[in-house]
Amino acid sequence: FLQFAFHAYTTAFTLLNGNGTTKAEEYSLQEKQILYGLGAISYAACIGAFPLVFMDRYTSKSSLMQLVTKKLLPAPILGLMSAFTVAVVRSPEFENGIEVMDRNGKVVGLSQKAGEKAVRETALSRAVLFGTTFFLPAVLTYFVERAKFAKTPRALASVRMFAITSVLAGMLPVSLSMFPQCGEIKRADLEPEILSSTEETELFYNRGI
């Protein structure tokens, strides 16, 4: 349930803050994105919860296995699934294309390649944000637990929450600044119909968040 709630929130955020070019009237794009989003959320929640369900069903006495499965593995999976939900929800952007503009802000055309680049950059930044945010605190909490700095489970939970909050606060600006909001793409990388409509060497697009 917690995995589902997390991915539902991030998917809704992605849906509201993507590139707005593909909001066409001739087809029910928003309904399509919502259906894609529900499928991606359900899949991501199941994959994210799988290591914990596996350990609960097939309890292993190996401390190394428990460390990897319960503490280290969920964070990379969360990062990958966050990138996955971005790619699925914003798939219409690289299927239908997004607007590309010249230096003066004039729209030159719709480009699927620019849409693919925008979605790829956003997915990567989201994976880095959430993967790092939950991986580093898990490692820190493990060493705190081994060193017995936290005497009670409540104290250990407080340390973990503080670590997550601190890493998230530090990683959020890093994630947002990994790629510029106004992305650039070379004219040679675009479709032939756009090449024939402009002489600009570099064009621009709105990456979304």
Side-chain angles (χ1 to χ4, degrees):
F1 173 78
L2 293 177
Q3 289 277 344
F4 187 91
F6 172 81
H7 288 295
Y9 173 79
T10 57
T11 301
F13 180 87
T14 300
L15 188 61
L16 294 173
N17 292 280
N19 186 293
T21 302
T22 55
K23 293 179 180 178
E25 296 179 358
E26 59 267 21
Y27 53 88
S28 55
L29 179 64
Q30 289 185 338
E31 288 82 355
K32 180 180 179 181
Q33 286 182 299
I34 290 173
L35 288 176
Y36 280 4
L38 288 174
I41 292 166
S42 302
Y43 178 79
C46 290
I47 295 298
F50 178 76
L52 301 179
V53 173
F54 180 82
M55 284 300 296
D56 288 339
R57 180 176 289 271
Y58 305 102
T59 305
S60 173
K61 295 181 179 180
S62 171
S63 58
L64 178 61
M65 181 63 71
Q66 291 187 3
L67 170 65
V68 172
T69 308
K70 288 192 172 183
K71 296 185 181 297
L72 300 183
L73 191 58
I77 290 179
L78 188 66
L80 289 174
M81 289 300 101
S82 297
F84 169 76
T85 56
V86 170
V88 171
V89 172
R90 292 182 56 177
S91 60
E93 294 182 24
F94 54 80
E95 291 175 356
N96 305 313
I98 61 174
E99 291 179 348
V100 289
M101 301 161 285
D102 59 19
R103 295 184 182 276
N104 298 319
K106 178 183 176 182
V107 176
V108 177
L110 295 179
S111 171
Q112 293 176 326
K113 293 183 179 179
E116 181 180 348
K117 189 170 184 284
V119 174
R120 184 172 63 247
E121 290 173 347
T122 305
L124 179 58
S125 66
R126 198 70 63 83
V128 170
L129 171 63
F130 291 118
T132 305
T133 297
F134 289 94
F135 182 77
L136 291 181
V139 174
L140 176 63
T141 305
Y142 171 74
F143 284 112
V144 169
E145 188 176 9
R146 286 290 299 272
K148 298 182 179 180
F149 289 140
K151 303 298 184 182
T152 64
R154 179 175 294 182
L156 186 63
S158 300
V159 170
R160 185 170 185 272
M161 185 60 64
F162 175 77
I164 291 175
T165 304
S166 302
V167 175
L168 179 61
M171 285 303 301
L172 188 59
V174 172
S175 172
L176 294 176
S177 62
M178 282 181 64
F179 304 100
Q181 183 65 38
C182 182
E184 297 182 15
I185 188 169
K186 294 185 182 299
R187 176 175 175 269
D189 295 334
L190 296 171
E191 291 82 349
E193 57 270 20
I194 298 179
L195 296 179
S196 61
S197 61
T198 181
E199 296 298 327
E200 295 277 351
T201 57
E202 287 187 344
L203 295 170
F204 305 88
Y205 59 88
N206 175 29
R207 179 175 66 84
I209 301 177

